[in-house]
Amino acid sequence: SAVISQKPSRDICQRGTSLTIQCQVDSQVTMMFWYRQQPGQSLTLIATANQGSEATYESGFVIDKFPISRPNLTFSTLTVSNMSPEDSSIYLCSVESFMTGGSGEQYFGPGTRLTVT
Amino acid sequence: GESVGLHLPTLSVQEGDNSIINCAYSNSASDYFIWYKQESGKGPQFIIDIRSNMDKRQGQRVTVLLNKTVKHLSLQIAATQPGDSAVYFCADGGTSYGKLTFGQGTILTVHP
């Protein structure tokens, strides 16, 4: 499986500011995704990070609030903009790779724990 | 099945017992499902997956059962160990690779 790292691992931010989260994979992957996990809850897909084109957002998530970049096949960023306390969550990136001839299994990074005060 | 809301279902077992965690899904067209384990402070860890052309798949100490008739998925853990204590999520992979829809999760606690 791919090794995925995220930076920062956690942060405490003031409302109204923005935070950019980085996701780095140790091998080229076909697809990268960003999820949000609110406290004590399950994971919700924010968007699919497309290499070389605009991200594909799920219902309820917009580019102005969560701009995403994916400049190459191993790296992506998610920005949480104009933060409010409701944005306090764990943000996770995941990747899907067919490099090993696998079936499209998705693997997750360790997450970024964001607290907005 | 998994509940919807802020309170996750819980399962408490003794070390050495077998555990069964259940999950219901809603999309009858879905053909790919995954079970994840999430320990405190970590990202979800892939456990096992299954495709809709199978009704059972076995891994190391784990078995996933798929009942498409009632849209139900279960994860069986044999000889449960304290290290198995975590939140377990099922995920519905739909009909194409990519988007995963997660269930609400079940908290498994294994007592020594």
Side-chain angles (χ1 to χ4, degrees):
Chain A
S1 62
V3 177
I4 307 163
S5 60
Q6 287 185 231
K7 289 182 181 179
S9 59
R10 59 176 62 230
D11 207 342
I12 301 173
C13 301
Q14 292 192 340
R15 68 176 68 204
T17 64
S18 298
L19 176 71
T20 295
I21 302 167
Q22 299 179 3
C23 178
Q24 179 74 55
V25 192
D26 68 341
S27 59
Q28 292 185 335
V29 294
T30 51
M31 302 184 78
M32 297 180 77
F33 307 90
W34 287 98
Y35 288 80
R36 181 175 72 183
Q37 186 175 25
Q38 294 176 303
Q41 297 195 39
S42 188
L43 286 78
T44 300
L45 180 65
I46 297 172
T48 302
N50 300 309
Q51 196 265 327
S53 64
E54 193 170 284
T56 305
Y57 290 84
E58 297 299 309
S59 176
F61 298 97
V62 295
I63 188 171
D64 290 346
K65 176 68 176 177
F66 297 102
I68 288 170
S69 78
R70 190 178 173 192
N72 55 52
L73 293 176
T74 64
F75 185 79
S76 178
T77 68
L78 168 75
T79 299
V80 186
S81 302
N82 188 25
M83 289 182 284
S84 67
E86 291 71 34
D87 293 320
S88 297
S89 291
I90 301 171
Y91 292 87
L92 298 132
C93 74
S94 73
V95 305
E96 194 170 284
S97 175
F98 298 89
M99 301 300 177
T100 59
S103 54
E105 301 150 7
Q106 258 186 60
Y107 298 94
F108 283 81
T112 296
R113 185 178 296 271
L114 171 62
T115 302
V116 184
T117 60
Chain B
E2 298 193 276
S3 65
V4 175
L6 297 179
H7 302 286
L8 299 183
T10 60
L11 176 64
S12 292
V13 301
Q14 291 295 126
E15 181 177 2
D17 287 351
N18 296 331
S19 303
I20 300 176
I21 301 170
N22 297 302
C23 176
Y25 62 94
S26 58
N27 185 359
S28 58
S30 295
D31 62 8
Y32 182 56
F33 305 90
I34 310 176
W35 279 101
Y36 287 94
K37 171 187 180 182
Q38 187 176 28
E39 297 174 282
S40 180
K42 297 183 179 180
Q45 176 189 354
F46 177 96
I47 302 173
I48 192 168
D49 60 359
I50 190 167
R51 299 210 170 272
S52 61
N53 61 350
M54 304 173 71
D55 53 19
K56 180 179 180 179
R57 190 170 186 214
Q58 289 184 293
Q60 186 176 13
R61 284 202 304 120
V62 296
T63 301
V64 55
L65 299 178
L66 174 62
N67 185 331
K68 295 180 287 294
T69 301
V70 295
K71 293 184 284 187
H72 183 269
L73 198 64
S74 68
L75 177 70
Q76 300 178 359
I77 305 174
T80 315
Q81 303 167 359
D84 294 327
S85 295
V87 180
Y88 288 80
F89 294 98
C90 67
D92 177 347
T95 58
S96 61
Y97 300 132
K99 176 181 176 180
L100 294 179
T101 301
F102 278 78
Q104 288 300 305
T106 296
I107 301 171
L108 175 65
T109 303
V110 183
H111 300 283

